[in-house]
Amino acid sequence: MTTFDFSDVEAFLDCHPELFEEYLVRKGKCDTLSRWLKEHQPSKTSPAEEKRGVVKDPIWPTNPDGLRRRSSHMELRRNFARSKATTAHRTYDEHVSLTAHESQSSMRRRALLRKASSLPPTTAHILSALLESRVNVPQYASSAIDYKYRLKESNEREFFLELVKDISNELDMTNLSYKILINVCIMVNADRCSLFLVEGPSHKRTLVSKFFDVHSGTTVRPSSSTLDSNEVQVPWGKGIIGYVAEHGETVNIPNAYEDHRFSDEIDKLTGYKTQSILCMAIRNSDGEVIGVVQAINKNPSGTPFTEDDEKVLQMYLPFCGISISNAKLFSESRKEYERSRALLEVVNDLFEEQTDLEKIVRKIMQRALTLLQCERCSVLLLEDIHSPADQASGFHIRSVLCVPIWNRTHQIIGVAQILNRLDRKTFNDADQRLFEAFVIFCGLGINNTMMYNQVKKTWAKQSVALDMLSYHATCSKAEVDRLKAAKIPLSSELGIDEFHFNDFSLDNDAMITASLRMFLELGVVQKFKIDYEVLCHWLLTVRKNYRTVAYHNWRHAFNVSQCMFVMITTAGFQEVLTDTETLALMVGCFCHDLDHRGTNNAFQAKSGSALALLYGTSATLEHHHFNHAVMILQSEGHNIFANLSSNEYSNMMQLLKQAILSTDLTLYFKRRTKFFECVLSGQFSWSNEEHKDVFRSMLMTACDLGAVTRPWEISKQVAELVTSEFFEQGDRERSELKLTPAAIFDRNRKDELPVLQLEWIDGICKPLYEALVKLNRKLQPMVDGIDANRKKWEELCRSYQQTRRASECISSLEAGETESPQSSDSTHEPESSQSEVTNQSEDSTHCVEPNQAKVANYK
């Protein structure tokens, strides 16, 4: 086998330069060529540019004086371009662009790989440098560009064919635009070149360049829809570029400053002198203008563009038009593919979750933001009531796309809208078509979820109805007749006109007669012409529709009603409340806990009860109590509002609903701050309907909590009944829901009742009654009753702390502690610690308002 020395190979290549050149074109690497250029040509790049990997060797082998500009001019132009926009769309592939040495088949394979990828493998590429400078076309060492120049000088036919082939297979619009820009500069020996593409509908067309260089010859302004992007927008028909686009004519100007369409704005800012301009339209196969190419300053400097330049561009630009049309078609097909895939993901998401309307609406909004690249999305269903929150929040709306949501029976069930595209452009026809397709699937998903919720509510209604039928009962006619015939004692005889009334002194029948006395003395029976037999029937039925639970039973309802009665009559609130309001408040007190199950709202939500499914998780029980009250009123022989006019009846039912819902402590927390502020600042006014509305709510809450104002024996007995009911709920939470109940529901922590009562009084009750006393001093006995009871609870709290401390000491002694000098010193520790606990208990009397969620458990 023959062997060769390196010198033999080198000598062979020297004798066959064409073979070496062909080998280099096929197998040479960019790194090798870059090193060769660096060694054989002086480098003029700055350190910062070398760090970024941008090499600025001249790409045109002509007089350097005609190509190079002073660095100061370049810096000015660079700063001006950056002032127009900052964000660069980096989609150019450095590796594909620089490997011009590869074979054509290899380049085509690489191009296909590039086009198949959604993002370039790196952002450190030549287009990045272009977009950062926005001034100079990237000047890097490229044998492909040198090759084009050699072809231009040696074989114009091959040169033209090479430029056509260069753009024929390029489907990426960014890369294609860049190649066209480079090729036009080479073709006509231009110092600078810009490419503008037509965008927008026919009635609102604009010219947009993604390669901002020097857009001379037009009134250039940053695109209003892309303030943060790298695009520059030229109005249609304005300046030289707009004129060429509008009329399709070629403009060849030897001296730009002699043309009235030319604007020297950029020249003044950058110090660059624009002389000659050649501007031509790019058309598609139908003859429509789809872009404009502009070449500036033919080299050598000062030479005007010739007719030959016009002719060669006229031959080349039709091929550019074909390539641009193909790239647009490819881009649109790519977008449609992505959108179709996104719609399939939407369908998968929507039909995965069809049990929770809130979840599915949230998914719709999240998907819409991603799919249509917008800032905000909202879905409004017909049952929703929304205020213009966007204006209130200061959110600036630039563009809106709003479409109806249809169900499967072609009925509108809501509206979906998106706001502000992220690229700051307006929504176009493609966006509308996509959003309409998107909303079709949304409508199906929402409709299915609504149907599922309707089925759940129907089941819940049936379950609640069956449950109510097992407890609901009406009184017999004999009971009504006996009550009608019974003598009704006076208020003073019953004791119901006193704040310290003891409801335990009356039995069930006595409470009914006392209730009749309240209605009679308030004058509402005569005022509203209430049939006395109907009133008796209604009261007896209300009593029967309270369950036999420990606390929320008929006795509690009567106790709340008596508290309302004494507050209205003793404090003189009849003077500020209308008769309608008085009757609604009294009826609300009697009905406010109808069909109470002995568990609170939180338990209904945790257990997923039929009530929670039917009424939701907000004021669940209160809505049920009101509906139950309406059911009784609509029963035959029970409508105590029968003689009211239509308007009076509507107003009465509205007031009744408000009164019953006011007993939800969640609503109390929302409204009491405003009430306290008005009262304490002296701004409360009885003529202000809003103030009066809040007052009625506070009055209902004060009556519902009225047991805390009773004498100690009564108040303590009621607290024990409440605790008993809470413990039963806690037992159910532990056994049925497998949850650890809160302290007030935990039977194992029953000794903490005094501490919890102090929190209850300080955080909820006392501030409310003190505010009411500010309005009317006649309510002072209620505050006095709270203070007296608080002292009793405080004593029990101290006793509990002492007992607990003593038991801890005994436990520690029984654990085996022996007496020693150290332990004997500690024998006095319990006593001192006891005093510390006492002091801590005294300090705890100044309680900060407790957590609302914790206190709300009482209800």
Side-chain angles (χ1 to χ4, degrees):
M1 181 174 121
T2 306
T3 58
F4 296 94
D5 295 332
F6 178 80
S7 58
D8 296 332
V9 175
E10 187 175 10
F12 176 82
L13 292 177
D14 290 339
C15 296
H16 301 84
E18 69 283 358
L19 182 61
F20 173 75
E21 182 179 347
E22 182 182 355
Y23 179 86
L24 186 63
V25 169
R26 288 189 298 106
K27 297 295 184 74
K29 295 183 179 180
C30 292
D31 294 339
T32 305
L33 293 177
S34 297
R35 288 197 302 271
W36 184 90
L37 288 170
K38 188 174 182 181
E39 292 176 4
H40 290 77
Q41 292 186 8
S43 175
K44 296 185 180 181
T45 57
S46 64
E49 291 168 336
E50 289 179 352
K51 186 175 181 180
R52 293 197 306 265
V54 179
V55 183
K56 292 190 174 181
D57 292 321
I59 62 173
W60 298 291
T62 57
N63 182 9
D65 295 334
L67 294 176
R68 295 283 183 175
R69 298 217 178 92
R70 292 178 302 171
S71 60
S72 59
H73 290 175
M74 294 169 60
E75 189 62 28
L76 285 170
R77 289 158 59 79
R78 182 180 294 110
N79 293 338
F80 175 77
R82 284 177 176 169
S83 70
K84 298 293 183 181
T86 57
T87 305
H89 295 291
R90 306 186 177 207
T91 57
Y92 193 77
D93 194 330
E94 175 188 21
H95 299 289
V96 173
S97 303
L98 296 181
T99 53
H101 318 286
E102 298 179 359
S103 64
Q104 294 297 320
S105 59
S106 177
M107 290 178 67
R108 283 195 291 270
R109 287 196 301 271
R110 184 72 65 88
L112 290 174
L113 290 175
R114 180 184 69 249
K115 284 175 283 190
S117 62
S118 59
L119 291 174
T122 177
T123 57
H125 44 64
I126 294 176
L127 183 57
S128 172
L130 167 71
L131 297 178
E132 287 178 5
S133 68
R134 310 273 184 83
V135 177
N136 293 308
V137 175
Q139 300 181 4
Y140 60 94
S142 171
S143 60
I145 293 178
D146 293 339
Y147 177 66
K148 291 174 184 177
Y149 272 109
R150 286 196 298 272
L151 280 179
K152 182 180 178 182
E153 295 173 358
S154 60
N155 190 332
E156 291 185 358
R157 181 184 179 87
E158 289 294 329
F159 166 70
F160 189 84
L161 182 60
E162 177 66 26
L163 297 190
V164 172
K165 289 164 58 179
D166 191 32
I167 62 173
S168 60
N169 292 325
E170 183 59 67
L171 294 176
D172 181 84
M173 185 60 73
T174 304
N175 294 345
L176 176 63
S177 301
Y178 175 74
K179 287 183 177 181
I180 291 174
L181 183 148
I182 291 292
N183 292 343
V184 170
C185 283
I186 298 174
M187 187 174 289
V188 298
N189 282 330
D191 188 34
R192 292 290 182 269
C193 185
S194 301
L195 176 64
F196 290 82
L197 299 179
V198 178
E199 291 189 2
S202 58
H203 65 279
K204 195 178 180 181
R205 287 180 293 184
T206 56
L207 295 155
V208 178
S209 173
K210 295 185 181 294
F211 295 97
F212 174 67
D213 182 17
V214 176
H215 301 282
S216 304
T218 186
T219 304
V220 180
R221 61 180 176 85
S223 171
S224 60
S225 61
T226 53
L227 295 177
D228 295 327
S229 72
N230 62 309
E231 296 180 353
V232 174
Q233 188 181 72
V234 175
W236 185 262
K238 301 295 182 180
I240 295 176
I241 295 173
Y243 174 84
V244 172
E246 184 177 28
H247 298 90
E249 300 177 3
T250 298
V251 173
N252 189 346
I253 305 172
N255 190 342
Y257 283 85
E258 294 178 357
D259 195 294
H260 68 279
R261 295 166 295 186
F262 174 71
S263 172
D264 61 351
E265 175 189 356
I266 298 178
D267 281 9
K268 288 180 179 179
L269 288 171
T270 64
Y272 177 72
K273 178 72 172 179
T274 300
Q275 297 176 353
S276 56
I277 296 177
L278 177 58
C279 194
M280 296 184 68
I282 303 175
R283 301 176 184 271
N284 60 14
S285 58
D286 297 327
E288 298 175 349
V289 175
I290 60 174
V292 173
V293 65
Q294 176 180 256
I296 299 174
N297 291 358
K298 182 176 177 66
N299 291 312
S301 178
T303 306
F305 291 100
T306 65
E307 291 185 5
D308 290 339
D309 294 329
E310 294 182 30
K311 289 179 182 179
V312 73
L313 275 186
Q314 286 174 353
M315 290 189 295
Y316 183 64
L317 293 185
F319 294 99
C320 296
I322 294 172
S323 296
I324 291 173
S325 298
N326 290 340
K328 285 184 175 180
L329 287 173
F330 178 77
S331 177
E332 290 300 320
S333 63
R334 186 73 176 268
K335 286 180 181 178
E336 288 301 322
Y337 168 76
E338 294 295 338
R339 289 175 173 181
S340 299
R341 187 176 65 177
L343 283 176
L344 289 175
E345 293 175 355
V346 168
V347 173
N348 181 63
D349 277 356
L350 295 182
F351 291 95
E352 250 184 11
E353 176 60 63
Q354 295 194 20
T355 59
D356 192 316
L357 187 60
E358 184 178 348
K359 287 182 180 179
I360 198 169
V361 169
R362 190 181 299 112
K363 280 189 175 184
I364 288 172
M365 293 189 292
Q366 291 171 345
R367 277 293 182 184
L369 291 176
T370 304
L371 183 62
L372 287 121
Q373 292 295 294
C374 54
E375 292 182 5
R376 288 196 181 184
C377 175
S378 58
V379 175
L380 310 176
L381 302 181
L382 288 183
E383 61 185 14
D384 291 345
I385 300 176
H386 288 268
S387 59
D390 287 339
Q391 285 101 357
S393 63
F395 179 73
H396 177 64
I397 300 176
R398 295 186 305 274
S399 56
V400 179
L401 179 56
C402 189
V403 298
I405 301 176
W406 306 80
N407 62 11
R408 63 184 63 194
T409 58
H410 303 290
Q411 295 176 327
I412 295 178
I413 59 175
V415 172
Q417 73 172 7
I418 51 177
L419 307 175
N420 299 355
R421 276 177 48 162
L422 292 178
D423 59 6
R424 306 182 73 85
K425 293 182 179 180
T426 57
F427 294 106
N428 54 32
D429 292 338
D431 295 326
Q432 181 176 340
R433 291 193 299 271
L434 176 61
F435 197 38
E436 287 173 349
F438 171 77
V439 167
I440 288 174
F441 295 110
C442 296
L444 293 175
I446 291 175
N447 183 68
N448 291 344
T449 306
M450 285 182 166
M451 290 179 62
Y452 177 80
N453 288 340
Q454 288 175 357
V455 171
K456 286 201 306 182
K457 282 195 174 182
T458 301
W459 172 84
K461 285 181 181 179
Q462 293 177 348
S463 178
V464 172
L466 291 172
D467 191 36
M468 288 170 59
L469 286 174
S470 62
Y471 284 93
H472 175 65
T474 57
C475 58
S476 63
K477 189 176 185 305
E479 290 178 293
V480 176
D481 291 340
R482 282 198 301 272
L483 183 57
K484 283 175 58 180
K487 179 182 177 181
I488 308 300
L490 298 175
S491 297
S492 57
E493 296 174 0
L494 294 167
I496 57 176
D497 56 349
E498 299 290 342
F499 284 109
H500 57 267
F501 168 72
N502 180 8
D503 62 278
F504 293 107
S505 63
L506 303 179
D507 58 18
N508 283 341
D509 291 337
M511 285 188 284
I512 290 291
T513 56
S515 300
L516 284 171
R517 171 53 62 188
M518 294 182 211
F519 281 103
L520 292 171
E521 287 207 7
L522 288 172
V524 292
V525 176
Q526 299 83 355
K527 171 67 178 178
F528 296 102
K529 299 181 177 61
I530 300 176
D531 185 276
Y532 189 72
E533 181 176 347
V534 172
L535 180 59
C536 293
H537 205 172
W538 177 80
L539 275 172
L540 290 169
T541 300
V542 166
R543 181 182 69 179
K544 286 196 173 184
N545 280 269
Y546 275 93
R547 301 195 182 194
T548 54
V549 293
Y551 175 68
H552 290 97
N553 49 34
W554 161 247
R555 183 171 294 280
H556 168 65
F558 173 77
N559 189 17
V560 173
S561 304
Q562 184 275 332
C563 190
M564 178 66 73
F565 172 76
V566 72
M567 289 179 75
I568 291 176
T569 55
T570 302
F573 286 137
Q574 280 180 300
E575 298 176 3
V576 294
L577 294 172
T578 65
D579 292 330
T580 303
E581 291 172 328
T582 300
L583 179 58
L585 289 172
M586 288 301 299
V587 173
C589 289
F590 279 107
C591 299
H592 82 282
D593 274 332
L594 276 171
D595 197 42
H596 200 290
R597 283 84 187 291
T599 52
N600 63 3
N601 288 331
F603 183 85
Q604 306 303 322
K606 292 175 186 176
S607 62
S609 67
L611 289 177
L613 293 176
L614 183 58
Y615 299 111
T617 56
S618 177
T620 304
L621 289 171
E622 287 71 26
H623 280 100
H624 177 61
H625 302 326
F626 170 72
N627 285 349
H628 203 110
V630 172
M631 183 191 69
I632 294 175
L633 286 169
Q634 292 177 346
S635 300
E636 185 179 356
H638 292 77
N639 190 2
I640 58 177
F641 303 144
N643 293 322
L644 272 64
S645 66
S646 177
N647 289 337
E648 288 175 334
Y649 183 84
S650 177
N651 187 33
M652 180 69 72
M653 296 306 294
Q654 191 66 31
L655 291 171
L656 177 60
K657 182 176 183 179
Q658 181 199 68
I660 294 177
L661 294 184
S662 295
T663 59
D664 178 17
L665 283 182
T666 304
L667 180 62
Y668 164 73
F669 282 122
K670 291 179 180 178
R671 309 191 73 177
R672 74 172 190 170
T673 302
K674 186 173 183 179
F675 177 71
F676 290 172
E677 289 176 354
C678 289
V679 172
L680 297 177
S681 64
Q683 297 178 354
F684 184 88
S685 173
W686 292 108
S687 60
N688 187 313
E689 287 300 323
E690 186 178 358
H691 291 180
K692 201 173 179 182
D693 176 66
V694 176
F695 166 74
R696 290 194 302 269
S697 296
M698 296 298 108
L699 203 59
M700 282 297 299
T701 303
C703 295
D704 195 18
L705 311 180
V708 76
T709 68
R710 306 294 190 186
W712 168 246
E713 292 77 11
I714 303 170
S715 182
K716 184 172 182 294
Q717 188 175 353
V718 171
E720 290 171 350
L721 291 173
V722 174
T723 303
S724 175
E725 186 173 290
F726 284 176
F727 286 166
E728 291 180 10
Q729 174 178 321
D731 294 342
R732 292 185 60 185
E733 289 182 2
R734 185 177 279 108
S735 60
E736 297 176 14
L737 306 181
K738 310 304 179 184
L739 298 174
T740 301
I744 56 176
F745 298 97
D746 194 345
R747 192 181 301 275
N748 300 328
R749 302 173 65 179
K750 60 183 178 181
D751 294 335
E752 298 179 26
L753 176 61
V755 178
L756 296 174
Q757 282 295 322
L758 288 176
E759 290 183 357
W760 170 254
I761 291 172
D762 293 338
I764 303 295
C765 305
K766 193 171 181 180
L768 173 60
Y769 292 108
E770 287 177 341
L772 290 173
V773 168
K774 288 283 185 181
L775 284 180
N776 195 311
R777 301 297 303 177
K778 294 180 181 180
L779 299 179
Q780 184 62 41
M782 302 186 82
V783 177
D784 295 339
I786 289 178
D787 290 338
N789 290 333
R790 193 191 184 289
K791 291 180 180 178
K792 293 290 186 178
W793 287 115
E794 189 177 354
E795 291 175 2
L796 290 177
C797 184
R798 293 175 185 173
S799 176
Y800 163 69
Q801 296 285 358
Q802 293 173 3
T803 303
R804 180 180 177 182
R805 188 64 184 177
S807 63
E808 289 177 355
C809 292
I810 294 173
S811 299
S812 61
L813 290 173
E814 290 178 349
E817 288 189 0
T818 57
E819 291 188 4
S820 63
Q822 295 178 348
S823 64
S824 63
D825 292 340
S826 65
T827 55
H828 298 286
E829 184 180 350
E831 183 177 352
S832 60
S833 298
Q834 175 182 326
S835 62
E836 290 176 6
V837 171
T838 302
N839 293 334
Q840 290 173 1
S841 177
E842 290 173 353
D843 292 340
S844 69
T845 61
H846 306 287
C847 292
V848 180
E849 182 175 318
N851 183 278
Q852 294 182 5
K854 179 179 179 181
V855 176
N857 284 327
Y858 282 92
K859 185 60 179 159

